Amino acid sequence: MSTVPTPQKTNRLGLSVMEYKGGKTTLCAGCGHNVISERIIDAMFEMGVKPERVIKMSGIGCSSKTPAYFLSRAHSFNSVHGRMPSVTTGAMLANRTLFALGVSGDGDTASIGMGQFIHLMRRNLPVIYIIEDNGVYGLTKGQFSATADIGSKLKTGVINDLPALDTCALAIQSGATFVGRSFSGDKRQLLAMLKAAVAHRGTVMLDIVSPCVTFNDHEGSTKSYDYMKEHDEPLHEVSFVPHFEEITVEYDPGTTMDVTMHDGSHLRLRKLNEDYDPTDKVLAVRSLMESHAKGEVLTGVFHIDTGKPSFLDLLNLAEQPLATLPESVVRPSREALDQVMEELR
Ligand SMILES: Cc1ncc(C[n+]2csc(CCOP(=O)(O)OP(=O)(O)O)c2C)c(N)n1
Ligand code: SF4
Ligand SMILES: [Mg+2]
């Protein structure tokens, strides 16, 4: 008896999800980073992003290795520890038709890369910047990072006596225009946030709590699966309707906030507790500080601003890749040069 193969589901580009996959992971089984790679594959597939347009940028760490495990048809650059922001900025200035996805770790971002991180956020360069946050330097055997909570404990019994940096609060204060926190274990929320991130034009900063099963998943850790299950406090239910899909579900403006994005997609935030306005930066930072004080891990989209020009618009960059501009465009005329020389006299 012959069996008829079921046709593979394809996206709006006619590609199957297989065409968004990467190499086989070499990370530990159960590492949160692997789950984030899977969600990135799903989001890029469902949004119909052309893999060849994507530049996968990273620094150094287990997290920074992950671009090898998704979108093998995209371009990839594994840079120096903490230097992904400057390399990404250069690439996007040289060719603004690219789609930048940066993957970093809490060590890569919040220690050696902090200076570069802050300056990337204030420029509002179009990039999705992901921190795979496990509270430790996984690759170098589990030392505390700067996002580890005060009082959390290493397996060896060492207690962290320094307060954690909140990368979301820093990103909001610095100027990023789409900032949120999620958990690798929350499939629904993470996928909706990644899809909305794809639709945003500007800097997206997502801090994703991603447990390190080898060095930071024990009792006393505040980045473990168990701790997140008990302390994850979603600010709202996040859903997303891309511009190419019909809106089928109505929403009640009393309980749901609908944000229309640049490309006509809709980000919908259904309030769970009190009113929350993600366009209010002060409220966003205050909510984060209050949640820390209560010992909760607040998740959701904390801030969104669809009105701020991106760095590429501010610089008035040409639409086409700089390397393809003809000499007639990039070379000043003899008259223009004479004029400059005249002004220098
Ligand atoms: C310039 C430089 N300094 C230090 C290191 C050593 N080093 C490699 S990875 C790493 C930290 C990685 O931590 P994180 O970014 O949190 O990634 P994870 O492995 O936890 O995913 C450090 C300090 C290095 N490779 N290069
Ligand atoms: S050491 Fe930790 S962060 Fe690195 S791959 Fe293993 S579980 Fe993941
Ligand atoms: Mg880490």
Side-chain angles (χ1 to χ4, degrees):
M1 197 175 76
S2 68
T3 48
V4 181
T6 40
Q8 258 197 342
K9 200 178 149 208
T10 54
N11 64 10
R12 63 192 176 121
L13 299 182
L15 300 175
S16 74
V17 72
M18 290 307 290
E19 289 163 280
Y20 288 81
K21 302 225 169 187
K24 194 175 174 330
T25 179
T26 58
L27 301 186
C28 308
C31 175
H33 301 353
N34 286 328
V35 185
I36 300 173
S37 297
E38 284 168 25
R39 295 295 84 73
I40 291 173
I41 291 171
D42 293 343
M44 293 288 176
F45 165 69
E46 289 182 28
M47 290 298 286
V49 178
K50 192 175 175 206
E52 289 79 5
R53 232 191 102 205
V54 178
I55 50 168
K56 303 178 291 180
M57 312 299 284
S58 62
I60 299 291
C62 298
S63 35
S64 293
K65 285 169 67 178
T66 64
Y69 316 135
F70 56 82
L71 264 71
S72 53
R73 285 167 53 168
H75 307 276
S76 197
F77 197 101
N78 191 195
S79 72
V80 179
H81 199 21
R83 270 52 165 205
M84 179 263 279
S86 52
V87 182
T88 307
T89 306
M92 288 306 286
L93 294 194
N95 183 354
R96 67 178 298 176
T97 67
L98 297 170
F99 181 104
L101 172 67
V103 181
S104 182
D106 42 312
D108 194 66
T109 291
S111 290
I112 196 166
M114 185 48 99
Q116 296 222 348
F117 171 71
I118 294 287
H119 288 281
L120 180 72
M121 298 299 125
R122 69 191 270 266
R123 293 199 161 115
N124 198 30
L125 184 85
V127 55
I128 301 176
Y129 189 103
I130 291 174
I131 304 177
E132 301 191 341
D133 188 357
N134 51 20
V136 286
Y137 299 168
L139 191 72
T140 54
K141 303 217 175 304
Q143 304 84 350
F144 278 127
S145 80
T147 68
D149 291 300
I150 190 162
S152 59
K153 207 194 269 182
L154 285 183
K155 268 184 180 170
T156 53
V158 174
I159 301 215
N160 180 31
D161 46 16
L162 290 173
L165 288 175
D166 188 322
T167 50
C168 289
L170 286 167
I172 295 165
Q173 285 173 302
S174 313
T177 49
F178 186 126
V179 179
R181 174 168 290 129
S182 191
F183 167 42
S184 64
D186 187 340
K187 187 172 176 174
R188 218 168 147 252
Q189 185 197 54
L190 179 54
L191 182 60
M193 280 168 62
L194 284 170
K195 284 163 72 174
V198 170
H200 185 66
R201 201 180 301 151
T203 300
V204 176
M205 206 301 282
L206 298 181
D207 177 58
I208 307 173
V209 179
S210 173
C212 167
V213 288
T214 302
F215 296 111
N216 205 14
D217 196 32
H218 50 271
E219 209 184 320
S221 158
T222 58
K223 305 270 193 230
S224 65
Y225 283 108
D226 284 348
Y227 189 88
M228 279 308 287
K229 271 176 213 144
E230 280 158 29
H231 297 82
D232 184 355
E233 192 62 37
L235 188 56
H236 32 226
E237 256 172 35
V238 184
S239 56
F240 177 75
V241 187
H243 67 92
F244 51 86
E245 269 176 26
E246 204 185 326
I247 299 177
T248 50
V249 185
E250 286 303 309
Y251 73 96
D252 171 6
T255 56
T256 306
M257 182 169 182
D258 187 278
V259 183
T260 308
M261 306 186 71
H262 296 106
D263 63 355
S265 299
H266 293 261
L267 172 68
R268 286 181 168 178
L269 307 172
R270 196 171 76 81
K271 297 162 195 165
L272 291 181
N273 299 314
E274 57 204 84
D275 284 0
Y276 186 83
D277 177 2
T279 62
D280 182 344
K281 284 171 86 161
V282 177
L283 176 63
V285 175
R286 201 179 71 213
S287 304
L288 284 166
M289 292 180 78
E290 283 173 358
S291 78
H292 288 306
K294 285 192 260 175
E296 295 168 352
V297 185
L298 201 63
T299 56
V301 178
F302 304 138
H303 178 57
I304 182 159
D305 176 356
T306 54
K308 191 173 161 184
S310 84
F311 192 45
L312 305 180
D313 293 333
L314 270 184
L315 293 180
N316 208 12
L317 273 176
E319 286 300 325
Q320 61 269 56
L322 300 190
T324 64
L325 291 174
E327 208 174 278
S328 58
V329 174
V330 291
R331 188 174 180 181
S333 64
R334 158 74 46 202
E335 295 74 48
L337 276 178
D338 287 347
Q339 199 185 332
V340 171
M341 294 310 287
E342 196 56 40
E343 284 164 11
L344 292 175
R345 265 178 201 255

